[in-house]
């Protein structure tokens, strides 16, 4: 609770940051154009945040998927056991792709976890669909940041990624048929999964200086498939992935609740909230034009 309150307070302070602290230099960023423009002459206005740069970010992630076993995220309410605090480290390299877009290459690492035991706490004993996992994940990604407003920090993000989930522990209950009838068993182990994913997000950047930018970002990441060896949480489970030699779950299957009713099923994924700091730079020609523009403004003031 204390960690969540601290995050809320921090985001509130960022939103209330005074303009004077964001940037003291109001010189517009301009990019050279080989042809005259009817609106701006021989230069065109470029969003300040569209630039080459390196970003480092930290955030919190909320897992959803088969271990949560609700079909759709948050169907059973917020589960704090699905949260990883401070588990994400992101690096980004941005390349200019026009006046409103950045190409974004990222590498992210962190932890994921899920545990649906809290849903059974008031029952005499856990049901057969008790599930738990923890993993270390590594994710390269490629996407596009789109800034719809001139020299404003708001942006939309879309991308693709491949996530390797090194599952350090999974713990599942299941029923096994025996001569005496069905017997509830527990299977534990370690394994891995490799999952292609899509990314959708929104964010906002604050300009601290000509080179430094502070940003916040909210994103959802969703797996494109959900099958053996291609998941985040070890479910579905291949017989070779456990000592009991049993197959658990089915590829592309719908979620079936305890009453036998089928529901829509989300593939594995997570929500994330992050804070990042970016160092930007521009090519020499761009800097020369900006410096010339600044010198002209100073002469006119004199």
């Amino acid at each position: 609770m204390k960690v969540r309150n601290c995050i809320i307070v921090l985001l509130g302070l960022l939103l209330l940051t005074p303009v004077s602290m964001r940037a003291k230099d109001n010189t517009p960023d301009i990019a050279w154009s080989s042809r005259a423009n009817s609106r701006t002459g021989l230069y065109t206005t470029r969003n300040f945040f569209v630039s080459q740069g390196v970003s480092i970010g930290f955030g919190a992630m909320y897992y959803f998927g088969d271990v949560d076993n609700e079909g759709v995220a948050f169907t059973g309410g917020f589960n704090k056991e699905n949260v990883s605090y401070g588990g994400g480290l992101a690096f980004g390299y941005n390349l200019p792709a026009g006046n409103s877009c950045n190409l974004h290459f990222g590498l992210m690492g962190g932890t994921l976890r899920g545990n649906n035991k809290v849903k059974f706490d008031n029952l005499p004993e856990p049901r057969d669909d008790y599930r738990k996992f923890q993993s270390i994940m590594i994710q390269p990604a490629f996407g596009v940041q789109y800034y719809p407003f001139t020299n404003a920090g708001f942006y939309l993000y879309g991308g693709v990624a491949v996530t390797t989930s090194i599952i350090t522990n999974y713990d599942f209950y299941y029923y096994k048929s025996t001569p005496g009838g069905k017997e509830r068993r527990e299977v534990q182990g370690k394994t891995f999964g490799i999952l292609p994913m899509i990314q959708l997000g929104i964010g906002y950047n604050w300009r601290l200086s000509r080179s430094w930018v502070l940003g916040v970002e909210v994103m959802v990441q969703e797996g494109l498939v959900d099958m053996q060896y291609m998941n985040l949480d070890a479910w579905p489970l291949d017989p070779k992935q456990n000592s009991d030699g049993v197959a658990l779950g089915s590829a592309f299957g719908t979620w079936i609740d305890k009453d036998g009713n089928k529901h829509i099923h989300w593939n594995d994924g997570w929500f994330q909230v992050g804070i990042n700091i970016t160092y930007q730079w521009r090519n020499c020609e761009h800097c020369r034009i900006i410096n010339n523009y600044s010198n002209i403004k100073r002469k006119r003031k004199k």
Side-chain angles (χ1 to χ4, degrees):
M1 182 63 70
K2 292 182 178 179
V3 176
R4 186 166 61 184
N5 290 340
C6 289
I7 294 175
I8 293 173
V9 171
L10 181 57
L11 292 177
L13 291 175
L14 289 173
L15 292 173
L16 295 174
T17 303
V19 175
S20 60
M21 293 180 61
R22 298 176 193 172
K24 295 182 179 180
D25 185 0
N26 294 320
T27 302
D29 284 319
I30 54 178
W32 184 257
S33 175
S34 58
R35 296 182 180 181
N37 183 292
S38 60
R39 181 170 57 88
T40 59
L42 290 178
Y43 65 87
T44 58
T45 302
R46 171 180 291 168
N47 190 301
F48 169 82
F49 303 102
V50 177
S51 174
Q52 299 185 57
V54 176
S55 302
I56 298 179
F58 301 89
M61 295 170 288
Y62 184 92
Y63 155 86
F64 57 83
D66 295 296
V67 167
D68 196 45
N69 198 22
E70 288 292 349
V72 176
F74 299 116
T75 301
F78 181 87
N79 182 5
K80 65 180 181 180
E81 295 296 329
N82 292 359
V83 177
S84 297
Y85 290 110
L89 175 63
F91 299 92
Y93 183 72
N94 302 315
L95 292 173
N99 291 342
S100 301
C101 294
N102 268 343
L103 301 182
H104 187 271
F105 303 87
L107 179 64
M108 183 176 182
T111 62
L112 292 172
R113 66 172 187 162
N115 185 353
N116 66 359
K117 180 179 181 298
V118 67
K119 301 171 184 178
F120 312 137
D121 284 346
N122 297 325
L123 300 178
E125 57 183 12
R127 301 196 311 241
D128 66 310
D129 56 351
Y130 162 67
R131 300 170 192 173
K132 177 182 178 181
F133 89 102
Q134 291 181 327
S135 79
I136 299 172
M137 70 87 175
I138 302 173
Q139 182 196 73
F142 167 76
V144 176
Q145 292 175 328
Y146 171 63
Y147 292 85
F149 308 113
T150 302
N151 283 341
F154 174 78
Y155 67 87
L156 304 173
Y157 175 83
V160 293
V162 177
T163 303
T164 298
S165 181
I166 303 170
I167 301 161
T168 57
N169 175 58
Y170 66 80
D171 187 1
F172 304 143
Y173 282 159
Y174 73 98
Y175 279 115
K176 183 176 182 179
S177 297
T178 65
K182 286 188 175 181
E183 177 185 347
R184 196 183 68 203
R185 301 285 295 272
E186 182 177 10
V187 61
Q188 298 178 332
K190 301 178 181 180
T191 186
F192 71 94
I194 299 176
L195 184 63
M197 306 183 74
I198 58 172
Q199 305 172 313
L200 295 174
I202 59 174
Y204 196 89
N205 290 323
W206 287 270
R207 178 179 174 178
L208 302 179
S209 69
R210 180 171 294 280
S211 299
W212 291 97
V213 173
L214 179 67
V216 295
E217 185 176 64
V218 179
M219 184 183 298
V220 59
Q221 303 212 34
E222 172 75 27
L224 295 177
V225 295
D226 191 11
M227 54 193 299
Q228 296 167 343
Y229 294 103
M230 298 186 74
N231 54 61
L232 299 176
D233 51 21
W235 189 285
L237 190 68
D238 187 271
K240 298 178 182 179
Q241 292 176 284
N242 64 91
S243 58
D244 284 10
V246 296
L248 300 179
S250 59
F252 310 107
T254 56
W255 173 60
I256 302 177
D257 65 20
K258 60 182 178 61
D259 298 321
N261 300 315
K262 292 185 178 181
H263 300 268
I264 190 172
H265 175 75
W266 282 17
N267 296 335
D268 297 340
W270 70 81
F271 297 98
Q272 68 186 55
V273 178
I275 299 175
N276 56 74
I277 185 75
T278 302
Y279 178 77
Q280 298 181 330
W281 65 87
R282 286 152 175 77
N283 57 53
C284 294
E285 180 66 14
H286 191 191
C287 293
R288 183 184 66 79
I289 296 169
I290 292 176
N291 290 335
N292 289 342
Y293 183 89
S294 299
N295 293 332
I296 293 172
K297 282 189 66 177
R298 294 191 188 98
K299 291 180 180 178
R300 286 179 178 176
K301 288 181 179 180
K302 292 180 180 179

